[in-house]
Amino acid sequence: MTTWPTGVPGLAWGADYNPEQWPEEVWAEDVELMRRAGVNLVSVGIFSWALLETSEGEYAFEWLDRVLDLLHEGGIRVDLATATASPPPWLTTAYPDVLPVRADGVRFTHGSRQEYCPSSPVYRAKAVALATRLAERYRDHPALAAWHVGNEYGCHVARCYCDRCAEAFRRWLQRKHGDLDTLNEAWATAFWSQHYSAWDQVLPPRVTPTFGNPGHLLDFDRFCSDALLELYVAERDALRGITPDVPITTNFMVGWTFDALDYWSWAREVDFVSNDHYTRSESDDRHVELAMAADLTRGLAGGKPWLLMEHSTSAVNWQPRNIAKQPGELRRNSFAHTARGADGTLFFQWRQSRAGAERFHSAMVPHAGTETKVYREVCEVGAEYARASELVGSTVDAAVAVVYDYQSRWLSGQQAHPTADFSYQDTVFALYRQLWDAGVTVDFLPPDGDFSPYELVVVPALYAVTDADAQRLADYVDGGGHVLVTYLSGVADERGHVRLGGYPGAFRDLLGVWTEEFFPLRENEHVTLDDGGVAGVWTELLHPRGAEVVASYADGPLPGVPAVTRNRHGGGTAWYLACGLGGDGLRRVVDAALEHAGVPSAPGVEIVRRRGRLDGEAVSWLVAVNHSAVAAEVAAAGVELLTGARVDGPWVVPAGAVAVLREMV
Ligand code: GAL
C-alpha cells in the first residue's frame, strides 16, 4: 500500500489549485510561477463538480486534461480531488432531498457549498460515479500522485436531521444496541417519560423545548461522524478498485473549533493523514495552538508523516477580523508543522481569487502579484524546503503523551452540566501550553492508546471512559508510569452514565481520592491555593483516600480542602488536579510532574527533534522556530541545513527565524 503522494521529491510544497476560476491563458503563467516558488504538489478540482459534470451524466474532462498535462510538463505532482465537496445546482434542483436539513427543520438550499445530506442515496451514487469516472480517466496520468476525497467532511454541515437521516440513525442504533430495551437503558429513557416502545418513535435530536437526552445526543454525534465516514469510504473504495497504488486521503480539520468528527476512527481509513489548519489570527498564542494541532494530527497519523493540506500564507477571510501574517510568520508556521511531523505544507490556495466568497483570503500569489511580501516569502520557503528535504520520513521524539477523546469532548460540551464555563479544548490547551513552554514535545493518544513508551501521560477531562481503558491507565501506573489527571475525568462510562460512589468515578482508586460534590465557581470568580496558585471555573469537595495533598484552597467555597493531590500507585504516581488551575500554579504542577517523571524541560526557543536515517545511518535533526523578537542560543553541534553553516557550540537562532540542524551524533 502506498502511503504518501507518489513522486514528490522531498518535502511537499504547494496549494489548492483552482484553475477553473481563471482564463486558460493564466494557466501557463501559473505553472511558471509555481516552478519559481518550488511548488511540487497541488490539489486540483476540489470544487469542480459543476464544471466536470455539466448536467446529469454529461462529463467535461477536457479542461482538466489540459491542466494536468501542463502541471506534469512543469514537473508538478497532483493530489487529484474527487470533486464531490459541493454538489452542482443541477443536482440539488433535480433531487431536492439531497439538500440537508437543520435541527429546526429548515432545508438548506444551494448557493454556497457542501449542501448535501450524508444519508442521501442520490448524492452518494452521484459522488461515487464521479469519483469512478475520474479514476478511470486519470488512472495512468503521469501527474497523479494521490487522491483527495471530498473536502473537509462536516465543515459546514456535520449533522443533518432529515427523515432519511432519521431512518439511517435508527439502523445505526439497531446495529449498536440490538434492541430497544438496550437503547432505553443506555439513554436512561425512564427519565422525563422518554421510553421508546417502537423504533419509528426514535428521531434525530431535533429542536425540543429544553435539554435533550444526553445519551440520544451522544449517539447522534457518533452516528453523524460515522455517516460521513461511510460516504468517504464509498468513494475511497471506488478509487481503490481502479487505482490500488494511488494513496487516498481526505483533509481533516484538527484545530480549535471543529469537533464534529471522531478523527481517531477516521484516521484508520486514510492511506495518509492530511490536515487543514488556520491560526486564530487575533490570538497571541496562535503558534502554540498550531503546535497542539500539529501534534494531535501526528497522533492521528500514528506517528507517521502527515501532510498539512491547507494553511494560509497570510490573512483568512472568515474570522471576525482577519489579521495579516507578520513577515516570517508564513515560514515559522510552515516549519512548525514540519518540525511536528508534516512532510509537506500546502496552502489554500495558489492564486488569490478575484471574485467569489473567498476573494479576500490570502494565497501564494496575491491580488497584488509577485512583487510582494507573500510571494517572495513563498519562494524563499519553497527553496528552504528543498534544502531540508532529508527530513522526509523521519519521526518525532516525545516522552510525554496527552490523551485526547472526542467522545469526552462531545459529552462534556453538552448543556445542563455543572458549569457553562468549562471547555474541553481550553482544558487540554492550558496543559499543552505549560508543556510547550517547558519545551516538552508531546504525542497525542486516544484513550485506548499504548501508554507504555511514555514517562508521563496527561489526562485532561477524560469525562467518559470505559472500564477497560481506566484499567489500562491504572496498569500503566502500576508498572511505573506517571499520570496527571484533571477534574471531570472518569466521571461517566461510555454511555455517559455517571459512575456512582463519588467522583472521579473510574479513577478514584488510581488517584487515591474521592469527591463528594462539585463546587463550580461563579463567572470570573477565582480562588487561591495555599501555594499561591489561582484557580477559576472549577473546584470540588475532595477527600484524600491514600493520596498526599500537594496544595489546598486558601479561600473560596472550600478553604482547607485539597486542590492538587499525588498518589503512589504500584510503581508509579498519579497526580490529580481537582480545579481549574491556571498560570504559575498550573506551571508548578506540570513542572513537578515532569520532574518526578524524569522528563527534562528545555524552555526557550521552540525545538523539536526528529529522528531517521540518512545513507543508512541513524540521524537526528533539531528543528528550531524562534517566535520571539530576540535571538536564541542553543548548545548544539551539526550542520544547519537552510544556510549550510557548521555549528559547534552555541547555535544561534535569530529572532523570528527558523533553522534545521542535522545533529552530529
Ligand atoms: C478550508 C477549505 C478551503 C477554503 C479555506 C479557507 O476550510 O477547505 O476550501 O475555504 O478553508 O480558509
Side-chain angles (χ1 to χ4, degrees):
M1 176 81 62
T2 321
T3 55
W4 194 249
T6 58
V8 177
L11 296 166
W13 182 245
D16 282 8
Y17 179 38
N18 298 306
E20 66 272 38
Q21 295 178 12
W22 298 93
E24 207 159 327
E25 307 85 80
V26 177
W27 300 355
E29 187 197 46
D30 282 336
V31 175
E32 173 48 32
L33 294 180
M34 284 180 192
R35 287 170 61 86
R36 252 207 262 163
V39 166
N40 54 26
L41 181 67
V42 291
S43 302
V44 179
I46 296 173
F47 295 103
S48 303
W49 192 341
L51 295 179
L52 289 174
E53 189 178 359
T54 48
S55 58
E56 190 164 1
E58 293 292 325
Y59 294 96
F61 290 123
E62 296 70 21
W63 68 268
L64 185 57
D65 296 349
R66 293 196 293 283
V67 170
L68 296 196
D69 290 350
L70 264 176
L71 289 165
H72 177 62
E73 283 157 25
I76 293 156
R77 308 288 298 154
V78 172
D79 166 49
L80 187 56
T82 57
T84 53
S86 258
W90 63 254
L91 199 158
T92 50
T93 307
Y95 306 98
D97 69 354
V98 161
L99 292 163
V101 173
R102 298 194 317 202
D104 62 1
V106 171
R107 195 178 280 279
F108 288 98
T109 187
H110 62 247
S112 170
R113 64 174 176 182
Q114 217 183 71
E115 312 91 341
Y116 59 81
C117 155
S119 309
S120 158
V122 172
Y123 171 79
R124 183 171 309 200
K126 300 281 177 205
V128 169
L130 180 58
T132 305
R133 285 297 190 115
L134 284 159
E136 283 165 348
R137 189 164 186 104
Y138 298 109
R139 62 194 300 166
D140 296 321
H141 197 286
L144 179 62
W147 288 113
H148 181 300
V149 178
N151 191 63
E152 293 189 341
Y153 280 92
C155 172
H156 306 297
V157 185
R159 298 178 181 89
C160 170
Y161 297 79
C162 74
D163 291 342
R164 223 186 281 282
C165 282
E167 286 164 26
F169 182 39
R170 281 178 214 124
R171 284 195 298 275
W172 184 95
L173 290 167
Q174 280 160 356
R175 281 198 300 278
K176 180 178 160 83
H177 296 290
D179 53 54
L180 268 185
D181 286 349
T182 314
L183 177 138
N184 278 313
E185 167 64 23
W187 291 6
T189 55
F191 188 80
W192 279 358
S193 182
Q194 293 171 352
H195 185 89
Y196 294 100
S197 55
W199 279 103
D200 61 5
Q201 298 160 4
V202 181
L203 298 171
R206 295 174 179 153
V207 175
T208 49
T210 182
F211 310 127
N213 175 308
H216 185 190
L217 294 168
L218 175 65
D219 270 348
F220 193 65
D221 285 342
R222 290 168 169 154
F223 157 74
C224 291
S225 177
D226 286 357
L228 284 168
L229 181 58
E230 252 185 52
L231 265 190
Y232 159 80
V233 166
E235 285 195 39
R236 181 203 63 191
D237 289 353
L239 298 170
R240 205 169 259 172
I242 301 166
T243 57
D245 297 327
V246 180
I248 304 171
T249 193
T250 185
N251 43 347
F252 295 173
M253 282 179 287
V254 176
W256 191 258
T257 44
F258 183 78
D259 70 349
L261 303 182
D262 182 347
Y263 281 134
W264 293 116
S265 62
W266 279 69
R268 290 195 287 269
E269 306 296 340
V270 295
D271 293 334
F272 63 95
V273 164
S274 60
N275 192 45
D276 296 352
H277 183 267
Y278 291 92
T279 50
R280 298 189 297 156
S281 68
E282 291 185 71
S283 159
D284 292 339
D285 278 343
R286 58 191 181 277
H287 55 293
V288 185
E289 191 277 321
L290 180 157
M292 179 165 118
D295 285 341
L296 177 51
T297 307
R298 186 180 68 259
L300 294 165
K304 294 205 271 301
W306 54 278
L307 181 66
L308 185 74
M309 190 65 93
E310 293 178 20
H311 66 152
S312 68
T313 57
S314 191
V316 299
N317 69 316
W318 44 263
Q319 295 177 2
R321 286 156 294 277
N322 299 292
I323 312 302
K325 288 193 178 175
Q326 294 293 313
E329 196 169 347
L330 177 169
R331 170 186 283 107
R332 290 193 294 278
N333 289 172
S334 300
F335 274 98
H337 283 292
T338 290
R340 295 173 189 278
D343 274 2
T345 60
L346 277 51
F347 295 92
F348 174 82
Q349 62 175 329
W350 164 249
R351 193 183 274 276
Q352 186 169 15
S353 305
R354 64 182 166 189
E358 296 186 310
R359 62 202 180 288
F360 293 115
H361 192 294
S362 62
M364 290 176 105
V365 180
H367 288 154
T370 53
E371 296 304 315
T372 48
K373 170 202 91 174
V374 166
Y375 185 72
R376 269 192 297 275
E377 215 173 302
V378 157
C379 293
E380 286 164 15
V381 181
E384 290 164 4
Y385 258 39
R387 282 179 233 136
S389 60
E390 64 187 51
L391 286 172
V392 166
S394 58
T395 55
V396 172
D397 252 15
V400 174
V402 177
V403 174
Y404 195 93
D405 181 34
Y406 290 95
Q407 322 266 329
S408 290
R409 186 170 175 180
W410 294 338
L411 263 172
S412 61
Q414 289 184 352
Q415 291 178 312
H417 266 166
T419 172
D421 293 335
F422 170 79
S423 145
Y424 182 82
Q425 199 67 355
D426 284 349
T427 307
V428 179
F429 185 68
L431 287 155
Y432 184 88
R433 156 110 254 165
Q434 299 304 334
L435 293 160
W436 190 93
D437 283 348
V440 172
T441 306
V442 307
D443 282 345
F444 279 87
L445 294 179
D448 63 352
D450 178 8
F451 308 128
S452 62
Y454 301 97
E455 309 299 334
L456 174 68
V457 176
V458 178
V459 183
L462 187 60
Y463 179 101
V465 65
T466 62
D467 290 347
D469 290 343
Q471 186 58 50
R472 281 177 345 86
L473 197 69
D475 292 347
Y476 160 75
V477 178
D478 250 347
H482 305 285
V483 292
L484 169 59
V485 178
T486 81
Y487 68 95
L488 263 183
S489 291
V491 167
D493 65 15
E494 62 274 29
R495 300 170 304 177
H497 291 201
V498 172
R499 292 170 178 277
L500 302 182
Y503 319 114
F507 298 128
R508 275 192 312 259
D509 290 345
L510 170 63
L511 298 168
V513 299
W514 71 281
T515 287
E516 67 171 88
E517 192 174 359
F518 296 144
F519 275 71
L521 299 176
R522 292 181 168 75
E523 191 177 11
N524 300 321
E525 182 183 358
H526 287 96
V527 296
T528 312
L529 275 55
D530 57 11
D531 67 352
V534 176
V537 180
W538 192 272
T539 61
E540 55 190 48
L541 178 51
L542 174 144
H543 306 281
R545 196 154 56 191
E548 119 197 36
V549 177
V550 176
S552 303
Y553 303 108
D555 57 23
L558 299 170
V561 169
V564 183
T565 60
R566 184 169 78 173
N567 190 38
R568 279 218 71 82
H569 183 87
T573 312
W575 301 72
Y576 185 49
L577 181 56
C579 59
L581 199 56
D584 289 346
L586 185 58
R587 172 155 313 159
R588 275 194 293 278
V589 173
V590 170
D591 284 352
L594 286 170
E595 196 187 330
H596 191 82
V599 179
S601 308
V605 65
E606 177 178 8
I607 295 189
V608 180
R609 177 174 277 116
R610 290 185 62 155
R611 287 185 196 279
R613 300 193 83 76
L614 199 59
D615 303 328
E617 300 285 320
V619 180
S620 59
W621 295 267
L622 298 180
V623 184
V625 185
N626 187 348
H627 301 276
S628 79
V630 290
E633 272 194 14
V634 185
V639 179
E640 204 286 311
L641 301 181
L642 307 188
T643 57
R646 294 194 77 79
V647 174
D648 197 357
W651 175 32
V652 179
V653 185
V658 159
V660 183
L661 191 81
R662 186 199 306 141
E663 289 187 288
M664 299 299 185
V665 201

